[in-house]
Amino acid sequence: MNRQDLQKIVINTLKSIAPEIEESELMPDQLLRDQVDLDSMDWLNFLIGLHERLKVDIPEADYAKLVTMEKLLNYLSGKIDGTGS
Amino acid sequence: MINFTLPSLGADMDEGKLVEWKIKPGDSVKRGQIVAVIETSKAAIEIEIWNDGTVHELMVQPGQTVPVGAVLATLLAPGEKAETAKPAPEVPAEAATMPMPPAAKPSIVPAAASAGRLRVSPAARRRAEEVGVSLEMLVGSGPDGAVTLEDVERAVAGKEKPSQAVPAGHQTEMRKAIAAAMSRSKREIPHYYLSESVPMQKAQQWLAAANEQRVIQDRLLMAVLQLKAVALAARKFPDMSGSFSNGEFMPSSAVHVGVAISLRQGGLIAPAIHDVADKTLDDLMRDLTDLVKRTRAGSLRSSEITDPTITVTNLGEQGVETVYGVIYPPQVALVGFGRITDRPWAENGIISAMPVTTASLAADHRVSDGHRGGLFLAAIRDLLQRPEEW
């Protein structure tokens, strides 16, 4: 999966939680939860959505690595490559 | 004969429109059963009945708007026969003709607001899904712009050109509802406020260990531990959980915790999770997930809106350190949790960095004093130090 496809899945998952977001306004290097106003329930549902769509495990201990869109995409690409899919 | 009347689902609600009956004459009904869907200015609410019995007559037809207290249906009490029962009174133009016994009547809580992203009746939502009509494209003709079944049917028939819904009206109504409830609170309730620093290291460690074993769908949130801690403490402090009305406080043996849920487009509502003290953390997590989902979709049940006995708010999610809460009448207490941050913490003569939250209490001086409130907060703090024992 290339980066654009992955980003599309991430954005679509995010929109299922927060339909009002504008993709063009998301800063890749700024804190995602500040930009999108996700509470911990939204955040968990977002990660569950990613888990279901991408079949990757996201341990809670890794949450701190996922704070910006850029870091999230890096993490997910690594996971997808690592599992060989 | 028992009159089933339209309950008030908020301090400012004076009428409601019947959308759908889920019962018909001759049906047996049980206390707590969902029997009808009512549209208010803020949302479509599933209405539960508060008596066992047999449905005798439906007095109001779908589509009719009636005042709070109007008789919606008559019931035969268990064992009662239609021939011998006193005939049901005419549908009154004003207020309840025969008030239900106090124990059976749901208490009145200003349901601050319950609109989700769109106000849509359940029947309309189902129909729209069946026929693939986008609800966002409809202009609702129901109370305050709620999308009704008729609106969907009109769109299907193509008689009405879809245009943009007008969410601004929803926001105004929600703000009015919150203002009404909070003004009443500030006018009537002599609040006092206390706060307590609560070390969260043990709860965080317990939670991290518990979640490590769980697949992501089963993971718990800290909010669930906080809800349970408040409910367990409230069970020991009955003067914090109950309702104050007509100059009298009625403690509640069951602790139904209202959870303040903010809506993405503004506003909030605090519907209840029932019997929180008796539930496992897994059950509470499921209930909370379900409640947040349904609150934001605008499909709550009447009991969830009317019977919280204490409210918990978790504004720490948005980053604040301390919450100074406003009590939801007729409740008598609200517990707030601030952000969990690392702070210098002195214990046994050693200073270390400790994750700490500020738990705050707004409580009603007509019912309790600061001394009791302080003990209540201390109980919450102590419970959060040993979640493994719950």
Side-chain angles (χ1 to χ4, degrees):
Chain A
M1 188 183 302
N2 68 33
R3 186 102 170 172
Q4 278 72 31
D5 290 343
L6 181 61
Q7 178 155 352
K8 204 169 166 187
I9 291 175
V10 171
I11 294 286
N12 284 341
T13 310
L14 196 54
K15 281 191 171 170
S16 70
I17 312 283
E20 72 279 7
I21 58 162
E22 294 289 340
E23 185 174 354
S24 54
E25 289 173 9
L26 284 180
M27 298 293 165
D29 57 349
Q30 286 181 22
L31 293 178
L32 196 56
R33 282 181 67 174
D34 287 356
Q35 295 184 75
V36 186
D37 186 17
L38 299 172
D39 63 21
S40 56
M41 177 70 80
D42 294 330
W43 178 249
L44 180 60
N45 285 332
F46 173 52
L47 296 183
I48 289 174
L50 291 176
H51 164 79
E52 285 169 353
R53 287 173 206 211
L54 297 167
K55 310 286 176 236
V56 294
D57 280 326
I58 309 171
E60 196 178 61
D62 287 350
Y63 288 4
K65 297 179 195 166
L66 315 176
V67 289
T68 67
M69 182 59 86
E70 203 163 30
K71 287 181 175 169
L72 178 62
L73 290 172
N74 291 342
Y75 176 88
L76 292 172
S77 335
K79 280 270 176 176
I80 291 167
D81 292 344
T83 56
S85 50
Chain B
M1 195 83 70
I2 301 163
N3 284 330
F4 171 54
T5 57
L6 178 61
S8 172
L9 302 169
D12 61 332
M13 168 178 164
D14 46 18
E15 61 177 28
K17 179 175 169 185
L18 179 72
V19 176
E20 188 185 354
W21 277 116
K22 295 188 178 289
I23 50 170
K24 57 182 187 307
D27 286 358
S28 304
V29 290
K30 287 225 168 328
R31 183 185 160 86
Q33 184 179 337
I34 292 164
V35 295
V37 178
I38 296 284
E39 233 162 45
T40 70
S41 65
K42 295 178 290 302
I45 309 286
E46 294 176 331
I47 304 290
E48 294 144 300
I49 200 158
W50 294 94
N51 302 84
D52 291 341
T54 304
V55 180
H56 181 60
E57 193 181 355
L58 303 180
M59 311 293 282
V60 175
Q61 299 309 310
Q64 261 180 282
T65 299
V66 294
V68 167
V71 178
L72 298 175
T74 55
L75 298 183
L76 297 169
E80 199 179 7
K81 291 255 185 335
E83 305 83 63
T84 56
K86 181 167 76 77
E90 294 293 305
V91 179
E94 50 176 351
T97 50
M98 195 173 111
M100 287 188 203
K105 191 180 174 190
S107 59
I108 296 163
V109 166
S114 67
R117 297 192 167 96
L118 257 186
R119 234 170 261 153
V120 184
S121 79
R125 193 180 293 279
R126 269 199 303 276
R127 180 73 181 137
E129 274 170 22
E130 278 167 24
V131 297
V133 168
S134 165
L135 292 165
E136 286 77 14
M137 300 302 287
L138 297 178
V139 174
S141 66
D144 293 298
V147 176
T148 65
L149 185 55
E150 292 148 37
D151 297 328
V152 176
E153 296 294 0
R154 251 201 310 282
V156 173
K159 285 176 191 151
E160 186 172 295
K161 213 173 119 212
S163 57
Q164 280 295 311
V166 194
H170 298 188
Q171 281 303 299
T172 313
E173 283 307 309
M174 186 178 316
R175 186 51 52 200
K176 271 194 219 159
I178 293 171
M182 295 299 102
S183 300
R184 180 180 157 201
S185 174
K186 284 283 186 175
R187 203 166 50 237
E188 293 178 4
I189 303 177
H191 287 65
Y192 66 85
Y193 304 94
L194 303 170
S195 70
E196 171 86 22
S197 293
V198 180
M200 294 298 281
Q201 192 174 48
K202 286 181 177 141
Q204 281 187 338
Q205 285 170 349
W206 184 90
L207 189 66
N211 281 345
E212 211 177 350
Q213 314 293 322
R214 291 158 187 262
V215 295
I216 191 163
Q217 291 90 340
D218 294 340
R219 279 180 207 157
L220 303 172
L221 293 174
M222 183 60 82
V224 168
L225 270 70
Q226 293 171 334
L227 289 177
K228 174 104 177 180
V230 169
L232 288 172
R235 198 150 64 178
K236 289 191 210 143
F237 290 81
D239 38 359
M240 298 293 155
S241 171
S243 65
F244 191 100
S245 47
N246 302 322
E248 198 184 355
F249 174 64
M250 301 274 287
S252 168
S253 53
V255 182
H256 305 316
V257 179
V259 186
I261 298 172
S262 61
L263 303 172
R264 292 210 82 79
Q265 293 181 341
L268 87 159
I269 178 165
I273 297 179
H274 295 142
D275 301 310
V276 171
D278 301 320
K279 284 184 175 154
T280 65
L281 292 170
D282 287 290
D283 286 344
L284 289 175
M285 185 66 203
R286 263 191 297 277
D287 286 359
L288 181 64
T289 306
D290 177 56
L291 194 66
V292 171
K293 199 184 289 173
R294 286 190 295 108
T295 301
R296 292 186 170 155
S299 70
L300 289 167
R301 297 179 196 125
S302 51
S303 66
E304 291 167 337
I305 299 187
T306 53
D307 71 4
T309 62
I310 182 170
T311 295
V312 172
T313 182
N314 195 348
L315 280 174
E317 294 272 336
Q318 274 79 28
V320 300
E321 264 184 22
T322 311
V323 181
Y324 305 93
V326 184
I327 300 167
Y328 274 62
Q331 294 166 48
V332 297
L334 178 144
V335 175
F337 288 99
R339 185 178 66 229
I340 300 175
T341 46
D342 281 349
R343 294 186 213 164
W345 190 261
E347 203 168 82
N348 303 324
I350 296 166
I351 294 176
S352 60
M354 168 74 79
V356 175
T357 183
T358 303
S360 63
L361 172 71
D364 186 337
H365 241 317
R366 297 171 301 180
V367 180
S368 66
D369 295 310
H371 177 67
R372 286 287 290 174
L375 292 174
F376 176 58
L377 275 183
I380 293 170
R381 179 197 63 207
D382 292 345
L383 281 158
L384 282 168
Q385 307 314 306
R386 43 185 176 84
E388 69 282 356
E389 292 173 23
W390 298 352

